[in-house]
Every structure is written in structure tokens, then in C-alpha cells.
Amino acid sequence: HLKLGMAMSAKLWVPEAGVRSAWAPPIALIGHESGHFYIWDLRRMRADMLFCKKLFQAPVMAFDLSRDARRLFAAAVEPSARVYNLDLHIRKITPCSPPLPATCQTVVHDRTGIGHLALRPDAKLFATAGWDFRIRLFANKSPHFKPLAILRYHDATVNALDFSPDSKLLAAASKDTKISVWSGLFKSR
């Protein structure tokens, strides 16, 4: 029996009409304090576990899933994020990126970890909210998922972020009690 600790992050995924997806039934994805990641099939009135995999050595703090359920973006209390290919039919999850540098260590602070992660709705980039007070943007393109920008504004840990449905805005919230809204970042076409 695994000692999972607390559930640290969760996402409910339901196939969208008109989007060709890799999986039909709704699923629940749960990241745990132990670094394990569970996926549950919700097609019945009870949840059936599809699979469990240890993705990180530290708590899974944030993740997002592509609209077609084929790619998982995940981050933990570690200085990097990862991108995984997901095949729910054969119950397999495989890394498709190297560890992506999502935090830095400086003289002022040595916080490593990611508080949140979000995929832009147009799926062209994703962002991480760092404990190092920074927001990082990455291209959603294999194999290297190139870092695109580091956004500096906050004076404390960035805890949450999200993109607007039209992919034109990015909002972030920080422990410094400030909210930042960014526009014009790598125009969506």
C-alpha cells in the first residue's frame, strides 16, 4: 500500500465537443504529496483507477492537460517542470521533455518550486508560477519546449495563474497580495 500523503492538485477532464481526443470518458487527475499522479476513469457512478505513476520525488503542485488528453504538463516542489505524453488506452505516461528550468536560485532567495502551471487555451504555450517570484513561459513544441520569457513583477511567491479563454491575457496572483495581468504575450493566431 502506497503512502501518498495529501492530494495537492486536481483536475477534472471532460472531452469537448468538436475536439478529437485520445479518450472518451471523463477522468479525474490527482497529484499527491508523495509525487504520485493518479488518473481515475469516471464513466461509471464510481471512480475506477486507470493508473498511478510516480512523476516526481516531491509533491505534485500543479498540472494541466491538453484538450485532446494526449499531453500532460506537470510541476512539483522541484526547480523544474516536465511534459509527458499520455496514452490512456494502454495506461502509459512517458516523459517527452527534459526537465524544464522553471525556477532560479539567487542571492536574495533560494526558493525552488512551482506553485501553479497552466496551458494556454490555444495550446501554443504554457506558464509556470514560481516560488522564486517569477512567471515563466514555455513553447508547447517538442522536443525541447523552449523557454520564451521570464516575467518579473511580484515580490513574493507566485501561487496561481491562468489564461483567458481567448488566450490573450495571463493573470497571476502572489503571496505579496498583488495580482498581475499580462497581455500581448506571443500573440495567439
Side-chain angles (χ1 to χ4, degrees), residues 39-64:
I39 298 180
W40 298 86
D41 181 343
L42 302 177
R43 77 178 93 196
R44 297 183 192 95
M45 292 305 288
R46 61 181 174 80
D48 292 321
M49 185 178 61
L50 284 173
F51 64 88
C52 169
K53 174 134 181 155
K54 187 166 179 84
L55 298 182
F56 297 101
Q57 297 303 311
V60 180
M61 294 300 292
F63 58 86
D64 209 345

mmCIF file of all heavy atoms in Angstrom, residues 39-64:
data_model
loop_
_atom_site.group_PDB
_atom_site.id
_atom_site.type_symbol
_atom_site.label_atom_id
_atom_site.label_comp_id
_atom_site.label_asym_id
_atom_site.label_seq_id
_atom_site.Cartn_x
_atom_site.Cartn_y
_atom_site.Cartn_z
ATOM 1 N N ILE A 39 -4.763 8.733 -12.193
ATOM 2 C CA ILE A 39 -5.813 9.060 -13.152
ATOM 3 C C ILE A 39 -6.965 8.087 -12.924
ATOM 4 O O ILE A 39 -6.769 6.872 -12.879
ATOM 5 C CB ILE A 39 -5.313 8.970 -14.607
ATOM 6 C CG1 ILE A 39 -4.182 9.978 -14.826
ATOM 7 C CG2 ILE A 39 -6.465 9.234 -15.578
ATOM 8 C CD1 ILE A 39 -3.602 9.983 -16.212
ATOM 9 N N TRP A 40 -8.159 8.654 -12.757
ATOM 10 C CA TRP A 40 -9.364 7.877 -12.462
ATOM 11 C C TRP A 40 -10.358 7.995 -13.611
ATOM 12 O O TRP A 40 -10.639 9.096 -14.088
ATOM 13 C CB TRP A 40 -10.021 8.387 -11.180
ATOM 14 C CG TRP A 40 -9.144 8.256 -9.981
ATOM 15 C CD1 TRP A 40 -8.203 9.152 -9.551
ATOM 16 C CD2 TRP A 40 -9.115 7.172 -9.062
ATOM 17 N NE1 TRP A 40 -7.595 8.686 -8.419
ATOM 18 C CE2 TRP A 40 -8.135 7.478 -8.084
ATOM 19 C CE3 TRP A 40 -9.830 5.973 -8.954
ATOM 20 C CZ2 TRP A 40 -7.851 6.628 -7.033
ATOM 21 C CZ3 TRP A 40 -9.542 5.131 -7.901
ATOM 22 C CH2 TRP A 40 -8.569 5.453 -6.954
ATOM 23 N N ASP A 41 -10.907 6.879 -14.029
ATOM 24 C CA ASP A 41 -11.942 6.813 -15.062
ATOM 25 C C ASP A 41 -13.284 7.059 -14.373
ATOM 26 O O ASP A 41 -13.642 6.361 -13.426
ATOM 27 C CB ASP A 41 -11.913 5.421 -15.699
ATOM 28 C CG ASP A 41 -12.926 5.243 -16.807
ATOM 29 O OD1 ASP A 41 -13.877 6.038 -16.900
ATOM 30 O OD2 ASP A 41 -12.767 4.282 -17.575
ATOM 31 N N LEU A 42 -14.034 8.042 -14.832
ATOM 32 C CA LEU A 42 -15.289 8.423 -14.172
ATOM 33 C C LEU A 42 -16.529 8.025 -14.969
ATOM 34 O O LEU A 42 -17.599 8.565 -14.757
ATOM 35 C CB LEU A 42 -15.306 9.933 -13.930
ATOM 36 C CG LEU A 42 -14.150 10.488 -13.096
ATOM 37 C CD1 LEU A 42 -14.255 12.003 -12.992
ATOM 38 C CD2 LEU A 42 -14.113 9.851 -11.724
ATOM 39 N N ARG A 43 -16.430 7.054 -15.844
ATOM 40 C CA ARG A 43 -17.576 6.739 -16.703
ATOM 41 C C ARG A 43 -18.717 6.063 -15.944
ATOM 42 O O ARG A 43 -19.836 6.090 -16.385
ATOM 43 C CB ARG A 43 -17.149 5.920 -17.909
ATOM 44 C CG ARG A 43 -16.883 4.470 -17.626
ATOM 45 C CD ARG A 43 -16.524 3.707 -18.863
ATOM 46 N NE ARG A 43 -15.076 3.697 -18.975
ATOM 47 C CZ ARG A 43 -14.433 3.397 -20.067
ATOM 48 N NH1 ARG A 43 -15.074 3.079 -21.150
ATOM 49 N NH2 ARG A 43 -13.138 3.401 -20.087
ATOM 50 N N ARG A 44 -18.425 5.446 -14.839
ATOM 51 C CA ARG A 44 -19.474 4.823 -14.033
ATOM 52 C C ARG A 44 -19.796 5.722 -12.848
ATOM 53 O O ARG A 44 -19.187 6.762 -12.670
ATOM 54 C CB ARG A 44 -19.002 3.456 -13.543
ATOM 55 C CG ARG A 44 -18.748 2.503 -14.694
ATOM 56 C CD ARG A 44 -18.351 1.118 -14.169
ATOM 57 N NE ARG A 44 -17.836 0.328 -15.266
ATOM 58 C CZ ARG A 44 -16.553 0.219 -15.566
ATOM 59 N NH1 ARG A 44 -15.648 0.844 -14.868
ATOM 60 N NH2 ARG A 44 -16.175 -0.514 -16.583
ATOM 61 N N MET A 45 -20.697 5.312 -12.033
ATOM 62 C CA MET A 45 -21.046 6.099 -10.850
ATOM 63 C C MET A 45 -19.954 6.037 -9.790
ATOM 64 O O MET A 45 -19.968 6.772 -8.829
ATOM 65 C CB MET A 45 -22.371 5.623 -10.255
ATOM 66 C CG MET A 45 -23.560 5.931 -11.148
ATOM 67 S SD MET A 45 -23.699 7.679 -11.580
ATOM 68 C CE MET A 45 -24.232 8.357 -10.046
ATOM 69 N N ARG A 46 -18.976 5.160 -9.977
ATOM 70 C CA ARG A 46 -17.839 5.095 -9.066
ATOM 71 C C ARG A 46 -16.566 5.306 -9.890
ATOM 72 O O ARG A 46 -16.531 5.036 -11.085
ATOM 73 C CB ARG A 46 -17.777 3.769 -8.325
ATOM 74 C CG ARG A 46 -17.612 2.577 -9.233
ATOM 75 C CD ARG A 46 -17.590 1.270 -8.423
ATOM 76 N NE ARG A 46 -17.578 0.128 -9.296
ATOM 77 C CZ ARG A 46 -16.501 -0.351 -9.920
ATOM 78 N NH1 ARG A 46 -15.348 0.236 -9.756
ATOM 79 N NH2 ARG A 46 -16.578 -1.399 -10.696
ATOM 80 N N ALA A 47 -15.526 5.771 -9.242
ATOM 81 C CA ALA A 47 -14.261 6.008 -9.953
ATOM 82 C C ALA A 47 -13.446 4.725 -10.018
ATOM 83 O O ALA A 47 -13.313 4.016 -9.027
ATOM 84 C CB ALA A 47 -13.473 7.087 -9.225
ATOM 85 N N ASP A 48 -12.932 4.421 -11.190
ATOM 86 C CA ASP A 48 -12.026 3.295 -11.387
ATOM 87 C C ASP A 48 -10.649 3.857 -11.708
ATOM 88 O O ASP A 48 -10.515 4.673 -12.628
ATOM 89 C CB ASP A 48 -12.477 2.405 -12.552
ATOM 90 C CG ASP A 48 -13.774 1.671 -12.258
ATOM 91 O OD1 ASP A 48 -13.947 1.224 -11.113
ATOM 92 O OD2 ASP A 48 -14.603 1.563 -13.172
ATOM 93 N N MET A 49 -9.635 3.396 -10.966
ATOM 94 C CA MET A 49 -8.291 3.894 -11.209
ATOM 95 C C MET A 49 -7.760 3.345 -12.534
ATOM 96 O O MET A 49 -7.748 2.146 -12.750
ATOM 97 C CB MET A 49 -7.336 3.508 -10.086
ATOM 98 C CG MET A 49 -5.978 4.127 -10.288
ATOM 99 S SD MET A 49 -4.780 3.783 -9.013
ATOM 100 C CE MET A 49 -4.656 2.027 -9.099
ATOM 101 N N LEU A 50 -7.358 4.248 -13.431
ATOM 102 C CA LEU A 50 -6.727 3.830 -14.680
ATOM 103 C C LEU A 50 -5.267 3.474 -14.431
ATOM 104 O O LEU A 50 -4.791 2.446 -14.865
ATOM 105 C CB LEU A 50 -6.799 4.934 -15.730
ATOM 106 C CG LEU A 50 -8.142 5.143 -16.397
ATOM 107 C CD1 LEU A 50 -8.101 6.368 -17.292
ATOM 108 C CD2 LEU A 50 -8.530 3.915 -17.196
ATOM 109 N N PHE A 51 -4.551 4.370 -13.756
ATOM 110 C CA PHE A 51 -3.182 4.051 -13.374
ATOM 111 C C PHE A 51 -2.625 5.079 -12.414
ATOM 112 O O PHE A 51 -3.180 6.150 -12.209
ATOM 113 C CB PHE A 51 -2.262 3.864 -14.571
ATOM 114 C CG PHE A 51 -2.054 5.069 -15.434
ATOM 115 C CD1 PHE A 51 -1.053 5.983 -15.163
ATOM 116 C CD2 PHE A 51 -2.834 5.267 -16.548
ATOM 117 C CE1 PHE A 51 -0.847 7.073 -15.974
ATOM 118 C CE2 PHE A 51 -2.628 6.351 -17.376
ATOM 119 C CZ PHE A 51 -1.638 7.259 -17.085
ATOM 120 N N CYS A 52 -1.498 4.712 -11.833
ATOM 121 C CA CYS A 52 -0.765 5.554 -10.895
ATOM 122 C C CYS A 52 0.702 5.519 -11.303
ATOM 123 O O CYS A 52 1.226 4.472 -11.667
ATOM 124 C CB CYS A 52 -0.933 5.004 -9.486
ATOM 125 S SG CYS A 52 0.166 5.768 -8.268
ATOM 126 N N LYS A 53 1.347 6.668 -11.245
ATOM 127 C CA LYS A 53 2.772 6.730 -11.593
ATOM 128 C C LYS A 53 3.434 7.788 -10.724
ATOM 129 O O LYS A 53 2.866 8.843 -10.479
ATOM 130 C CB LYS A 53 2.932 7.096 -13.064
ATOM 131 C CG LYS A 53 4.359 7.330 -13.471
ATOM 132 C CD LYS A 53 4.680 6.634 -14.734
ATOM 133 C CE LYS A 53 6.130 6.877 -15.102
ATOM 134 N NZ LYS A 53 6.662 5.873 -15.914
ATOM 135 N N LYS A 54 4.636 7.481 -10.271
ATOM 136 C CA LYS A 54 5.410 8.470 -9.521
ATOM 137 C C LYS A 54 6.135 9.357 -10.532
ATOM 138 O O LYS A 54 7.017 8.900 -11.248
ATOM 139 C CB LYS A 54 6.402 7.796 -8.582
ATOM 140 C CG LYS A 54 7.109 8.778 -7.668
ATOM 141 C CD LYS A 54 7.808 8.061 -6.542
ATOM 142 C CE LYS A 54 8.544 9.014 -5.637
ATOM 143 N NZ LYS A 54 7.718 9.606 -4.614
ATOM 144 N N LEU A 55 5.732 10.622 -10.597
ATOM 145 C CA LEU A 55 6.308 11.557 -11.554
ATOM 146 C C LEU A 55 7.461 12.358 -10.976
ATOM 147 O O LEU A 55 8.374 12.748 -11.689
ATOM 148 C CB LEU A 55 5.247 12.529 -12.061
ATOM 149 C CG LEU A 55 4.056 11.954 -12.815
ATOM 150 C CD1 LEU A 55 3.139 13.066 -13.271
ATOM 151 C CD2 LEU A 55 4.513 11.112 -13.984
ATOM 152 N N PHE A 56 7.396 12.636 -9.679
ATOM 153 C CA PHE A 56 8.386 13.490 -9.030
ATOM 154 C C PHE A 56 8.793 12.889 -7.688
ATOM 155 O O PHE A 56 8.092 12.041 -7.134
ATOM 156 C CB PHE A 56 7.802 14.891 -8.778
ATOM 157 C CG PHE A 56 7.442 15.640 -10.028
ATOM 158 C CD1 PHE A 56 6.124 15.709 -10.453
ATOM 159 C CD2 PHE A 56 8.406 16.292 -10.774
ATOM 160 C CE1 PHE A 56 5.776 16.416 -11.606
ATOM 161 C CE2 PHE A 56 8.073 16.995 -11.926
ATOM 162 C CZ PHE A 56 6.764 17.052 -12.336
ATOM 163 N N GLN A 57 9.903 13.380 -7.154
ATOM 164 C CA GLN A 57 10.352 12.991 -5.813
ATOM 165 C C GLN A 57 9.715 13.890 -4.752
ATOM 166 O O GLN A 57 9.847 13.625 -3.567
ATOM 167 C CB GLN A 57 11.879 13.068 -5.715
ATOM 168 C CG GLN A 57 12.593 12.112 -6.650
ATOM 169 C CD GLN A 57 12.173 10.673 -6.430
ATOM 170 O OE1 GLN A 57 12.137 10.173 -5.308
ATOM 171 N NE2 GLN A 57 11.814 10.001 -7.515
ATOM 172 N N ALA A 58 9.039 14.922 -5.180
ATOM 173 C CA ALA A 58 8.428 15.910 -4.289
ATOM 174 C C ALA A 58 6.942 16.032 -4.625
ATOM 175 O O ALA A 58 6.482 15.485 -5.628
ATOM 176 C CB ALA A 58 9.135 17.248 -4.485
ATOM 177 N N PRO A 59 6.166 16.745 -3.804
ATOM 178 C CA PRO A 59 4.732 16.891 -4.064
ATOM 179 C C PRO A 59 4.411 17.467 -5.446
ATOM 180 O O PRO A 59 5.073 18.400 -5.906
ATOM 181 C CB PRO A 59 4.273 17.855 -2.963
ATOM 182 C CG PRO A 59 5.248 17.651 -1.856
ATOM 183 C CD PRO A 59 6.561 17.378 -2.529
ATOM 184 N N VAL A 60 3.397 16.888 -6.084
ATOM 185 C CA VAL A 60 2.899 17.380 -7.373
ATOM 186 C C VAL A 60 2.022 18.593 -7.066
ATOM 187 O O VAL A 60 0.921 18.454 -6.550
ATOM 188 C CB VAL A 60 2.092 16.297 -8.127
ATOM 189 C CG1 VAL A 60 1.581 16.844 -9.459
ATOM 190 C CG2 VAL A 60 2.921 15.040 -8.337
ATOM 191 N N MET A 61 2.524 19.782 -7.391
ATOM 192 C CA MET A 61 1.816 21.013 -7.040
ATOM 193 C C MET A 61 0.826 21.466 -8.098
ATOM 194 O O MET A 61 -0.184 22.094 -7.772
ATOM 195 C CB MET A 61 2.822 22.139 -6.797
ATOM 196 C CG MET A 61 3.704 21.921 -5.586
ATOM 197 S SD MET A 61 2.775 21.785 -4.055
ATOM 198 C CE MET A 61 2.159 23.448 -3.882
ATOM 199 N N ALA A 62 1.116 21.181 -9.349
ATOM 200 C CA ALA A 62 0.254 21.704 -10.405
ATOM 201 C C ALA A 62 0.428 20.897 -11.676
ATOM 202 O O ALA A 62 1.491 20.332 -11.929
ATOM 203 C CB ALA A 62 0.612 23.166 -10.683
ATOM 204 N N PHE A 63 -0.634 20.867 -12.458
ATOM 205 C CA PHE A 63 -0.562 20.227 -13.768
ATOM 206 C C PHE A 63 -1.704 20.720 -14.619
ATOM 207 O O PHE A 63 -2.668 21.290 -14.126
ATOM 208 C CB PHE A 63 -0.565 18.693 -13.664
ATOM 209 C CG PHE A 63 -1.760 18.124 -12.968
ATOM 210 C CD1 PHE A 63 -2.930 17.863 -13.661
ATOM 211 C CD2 PHE A 63 -1.727 17.858 -11.616
ATOM 212 C CE1 PHE A 63 -4.039 17.359 -13.019
ATOM 213 C CE2 PHE A 63 -2.831 17.347 -10.965
ATOM 214 C CZ PHE A 63 -3.991 17.089 -11.666
ATOM 215 N N ASP A 64 -1.573 20.491 -15.918
ATOM 216 C CA ASP A 64 -2.644 20.796 -16.849
ATOM 217 C C ASP A 64 -2.606 19.727 -17.927
ATOM 218 O O ASP A 64 -1.597 19.038 -18.104
ATOM 219 C CB ASP A 64 -2.473 22.193 -17.450
ATOM 220 C CG ASP A 64 -3.805 22.833 -17.832
ATOM 221 O OD1 ASP A 64 -4.824 22.105 -17.903
ATOM 222 O OD2 ASP A 64 -3.828 24.049 -18.068
#
